[in-house]
Amino acid sequence: DLYNFRLIKPDTKVYGIIGKPVGHSKSPLLFNAAFKKVGLNAVYVHLLVDDVEKFFNTYSAPDFISGCSCTIPHKEVAIKCMDTIDPIAQKIGAINNIVRKPDGKLTAFNTDYIGAIEAIEDGLRESNGSSPAVGSPLAGKLFVVLGAGGAGKSLAYGAKEKGARVVVANRTFERAKDLADKVGGQALTLAEIENFHPEDGMILANTTSVGMKPKIDDTPIPKHALKHYSLVFDAIYTPKDTRLLREAKESGKIIVYGTEMLIRQGFEQYKNFTGLPAPEELFRELMSKHA
Ligand code: ATR
């Protein structure tokens, strides 16, 4: 009973997730439950899309899709089909949230970076007891991003936007250098990170796939080197408790889970689609029940 087709009427708003593969996505479950709870005349479906440009050219009529989420492998190509793009999403070069405005125009966002950065900001605030009104707790902090792929870009641009000083460390140095240059930061190889400690209280964000299932005994940085950090975030969510996060916790660090980025990026998508606050408790409940 993922979609209740009997409730779909000509004026029902249609949302969906476009991707390939897409069947595994939990988004229809979350969004349909939320629409039902709030009483919105809307449905959210799985949309298996091969050719994203053809998809947008074919279904560009404003009476079809009201908005969609965008996953692998379309996050980059879909940019070409948009009318307007959020400036940071444009810099990152990837979008995952598309909203059709009342005038029919397609506007795109990247909610991944917002989800990750807000989770990290809240982690810092909880530990120092400051209120959200005070400004970003990332301002002025040294923010170390491990990895320079799609997720690495999101974290690096997001951190820069909040006033952090950014360091990018990657196995392939050239990719670290490219990204670091774009955000006005410093580049390192991943191997150099063990001995990199210009100051204490740094923030660490892992966006490499090191430690992901099935190689759960791997970690991108040795435990002893974590002592120079105050907070450790891991974008990996399979498993939730990566070796990196377990060791950070054992070392007394604030830890922020990849699942937190995942769920918060969903909150942002819901807000962009509906203009309403996200039903956060409902999303969290369903995520933990169906994980
Ligand atoms: P995503 O979009 O999830 O960031 P990606 O673009 O494929 O995925 O990037 C994967 C990141 O993990 C890259 O930074 C990659 O390093 P390279 O640029 O050197 O390829 C990093 N990565 C993957 N496997 C790794 C490994 N075994 N050791 C170190 N880094 C690794």
Side-chain angles (χ1 to χ4, degrees), residues 82-160:
M82 299 297 119
D83 296 305
T84 48
I85 300 162
D86 167 74
I88 298 179
Q90 179 93 60
K91 283 184 190 159
I92 293 168
I95 57 174
N96 69 329
N97 179 235
I98 299 164
V99 180
R100 188 186 295 285
K101 297 289 177 194
D103 62 4
K105 297 255 192 290
L106 294 173
T107 301
F109 304 91
N110 179 315
T111 68
D112 287 335
Y113 90 84
I114 301 173
I117 293 292
E118 288 189 356
I120 293 169
E121 286 181 324
D122 280 354
L124 285 170
R125 285 191 190 108
E126 274 163 33
S127 73
N128 66 19
S130 71
S131 81
V134 177
S136 178
L138 287 174
K141 287 265 185 337
L142 200 57
F143 194 107
V144 178
V145 179
L146 307 183
K153 281 186 201 153
S154 296
L155 268 294
Y157 280 109
K160 181 190 163 54

Side-chain angles (χ1 to χ4, degrees), residues 146-152 169-173 175 190 207-210 215:
L146 307 183
N170 196 46
R171 177 177 61 181
T172 311
F173 179 73
R175 289 185 89 192
L190 194 55
T207 72
T208 73
S209 45
V210 181
K215 297 174 94 178

